[in-house]
Amino acid sequence: MVKLFALIRRRDGMTAEAFRSHWRDVHGPLIRDRPELARHVVRYEQHPRHRDDALSGTDGVDGVAVQWFRSIDEFVAFISEPAYGDLVAPDERRFIDVDSIEFLITDEPDVLIDRVIDGSVEGSVGGSSSPRRSSRRRRAPVG
């Protein structure tokens, strides 16, 4: 499994509210509702900025997109789909400052703290938004 983390900023002149609305209600469904795109993605998360102050991170950063793929080849297949070039990429330019996107693709994480409360992942909503857990997680050495 690989994960894409993309740090995104809204286009100049766009309000934070308009950015969030477009990202959630227009852009996300472009990927989710197109089978030729969605088939490559294991999980797609949108993390909008919590609030508009320094405690929520670097000034000007409006959110983080996280997309899970079975492999780097699935990611390449995703961005190679004609629907990506025809629909997704042009839509990104409607609400994202695409020149400022920063991204990183990672492997499985090295888990250092993994608290489970009452049988569910702390902070999950209804259990449906938490990632599947494997009994083969990497654990930090004790000490």
Side-chain angles (χ1 to χ4, degrees):
M1 188 78 60
V2 297
K3 295 176 189 152
L4 164 77
F5 293 83
L7 203 63
I8 57 178
R9 295 163 176 88
R10 66 183 183 260
R11 272 187 35 197
D12 284 340
M14 180 173 250
T15 66
E17 183 178 313
F19 168 83
R20 287 182 184 187
S21 176
H22 188 95
W23 191 18
R24 179 189 61 238
D25 301 328
V26 177
H27 188 74
L30 283 177
I31 296 168
R32 182 194 64 210
D33 298 342
R34 299 292 300 212
E36 68 270 36
L37 295 170
R39 69 187 174 110
H40 299 290
V41 181
V42 173
R43 184 179 175 98
Y44 175 24
E45 303 171 3
Q46 295 178 341
H47 298 268
R49 185 181 190 95
H50 176 65
R51 58 189 200 191
D52 221 10
D53 63 21
L55 289 176
S56 288
T58 303
D59 188 39
V61 175
D62 294 291
V64 177
V66 182
Q67 295 175 336
W68 300 26
F69 300 90
R70 285 181 187 80
S71 67
I72 193 71
D73 293 335
E74 281 294 323
F75 167 70
V76 171
F78 171 70
I79 62 173
S80 298
E81 287 285 353
Y84 184 88
D86 294 343
L87 300 172
V88 177
D91 187 61
E92 289 171 345
R93 291 188 288 278
R94 288 185 188 100
F95 75 108
I96 296 172
D97 176 359
V98 294
D99 293 330
S100 71
I101 295 173
E102 298 178 57
F103 76 95
L104 177 70
I105 295 178
T106 69
D107 289 318
E108 291 295 321
D110 294 322
V111 177
L112 303 178
I113 297 175
D114 188 15
R115 292 193 178 103
V116 177
I117 298 175
D118 298 330
S120 63
V121 177
E122 183 176 3
S124 68
V125 177
S128 63
S129 66
S130 63
R132 291 186 180 155
R133 298 291 179 159
S134 167
S135 61
R136 296 178 35 178
R137 293 185 291 233
R138 293 183 190 163
R139 298 264 181 198
V142 176

